[in-house]
Amino acid sequence: MTYAFDPAPQAAVPVAGSAARFPVRRIYCVGRNYEAHAREMGHDPDREPPFFFAKPADALLYVAPGTTAEFPYPARSQNVHFEMELVAAIGKGGKNIPVERALDHVFGYALGLDMTRRDLQAEAKKLGRPWDTAKGFDHSAPIGPIHPVAQVGQLASGAIWLTVNGEEKQRSDISQMIWPVADTIAFLSTLFELKAGDLIYTGTPEGVGAVKPGDVMKGGVDGIGEFAVRVA
Ligand code: MN
């Protein structure tokens, strides 16, 4: 079997403490998963069912520990926002996964940024159009190494935070998720058959805001360290 041209390389994220890389299949993202962020975006924080959007796997931007990765400011936007998020990496697939067993499907956790062209998203919302150009652009998904559950355990609580140029912008606790990781996996697996290699960006807490070229974002989640990304 031959291809008409060389296929694109497999998207992959390094696994902390290992020479192995986690091959990425799909990137799912949860919308409005913290009450105070739902409120700041103008929505009723009552527990509505979770909703999802996706980014292409090749939108990942790997942020190596101890380095500052460069995030190129995307074209066609004047209002690019950071959203600091915990990422759950799926190591075992399934559909209709019961919530009690959902965490058995998690391979590990990573730091993530759901970078967003907020102006294009606002226009899409107003016009009832898809979010892809707002959410799925190139380099829109910075991610740190994946920390296996075998090393760091399950992450159910702990601070999640982000600073821009040293000033704190986001601080919450991952226990504040409206739909915790297990619930999110269970619900998502009723919509899609999850497979090993899927990533889930689990939503951002309050405090989202715009960045401009030159800004340095630092973010972290207790238990899996911190990372740094400069807007280029
Ligand atoms: Mn998000």
Side-chain angles (χ1 to χ4, degrees):
M1 203 271 290
T2 61
Y3 292 107
F5 48 85
D6 289 341
Q10 169 68 50
V13 179
V15 175
S18 162
R21 290 156 64 81
F22 180 93
V24 178
R25 189 184 81 113
R26 293 184 179 175
I27 306 175
Y28 297 105
C29 305
V30 187
R32 287 172 219 146
N33 202 20
Y34 290 77
E35 282 194 19
H37 173 62
R39 224 177 277 119
E40 79 180 349
M41 297 305 289
H43 296 276
D44 184 338
D46 279 355
R47 201 183 196 224
E48 57 182 6
F51 71 92
F52 303 92
F53 56 93
K55 294 183 188 245
D58 65 1
L60 290 168
L61 171 67
Y62 178 60
V63 187
T67 71
T68 301
E70 298 267 315
F71 165 78
Y73 196 93
R76 303 286 297 272
S77 179
Q78 310 298 321
N79 191 18
V80 175
H81 275 205
F82 52 81
E83 296 190 358
M84 183 66 203
E85 309 200 359
L86 174 68
V87 180
I90 299 297
K92 186 176 76 166
K95 49 185 169 181
N96 300 317
I97 298 168
V99 67
E100 313 80 50
R101 297 216 201 104
L103 294 180
D104 297 346
H105 294 256
V106 179
F107 173 87
Y109 293 96
L111 306 171
L113 276 166
D114 167 17
M115 298 304 294
T116 302
R117 287 164 163 153
R118 194 70 78 200
D119 42 2
L120 297 195
Q121 187 193 30
E123 187 184 11
K125 285 179 178 175
K126 195 170 67 186
L127 298 173
R129 289 180 180 165
W131 287 8
D132 302 52
T133 58
K135 289 292 198 178
F137 57 93
D138 295 343
H139 317 296
S140 61
I143 190 165
I146 294 173
H147 298 267
V149 168
Q151 288 170 24
V152 298
Q154 296 291 347
L155 301 187
S157 65
I160 179 170
W161 56 270
L162 181 128
T163 65
V164 177
N165 304 329
E167 185 183 333
E168 187 168 285
K169 300 290 187 182
Q170 296 191 278
R171 177 168 290 277
S172 184
D173 193 290
I174 56 173
S175 65
Q176 296 302 302
M177 285 182 199
I178 298 170
W179 296 91
V181 171
D183 300 60
T184 296
I185 290 170
F187 197 101
L188 185 59
S189 76
T190 67
L191 290 166
F192 301 96
E193 179 174 357
L194 298 181
K195 297 205 171 170
D198 291 342
L199 297 176
I200 305 172
Y201 280 61
T202 60
T204 195
E206 66 275 21
V208 299
V211 284
K212 57 184 189 314
D215 285 348
V216 176
M217 301 174 280
K218 283 190 182 161
V221 174
D222 281 356
I224 54 172
E226 59 180 72
F227 68 5
V229 179
R230 181 188 299 109
V231 183

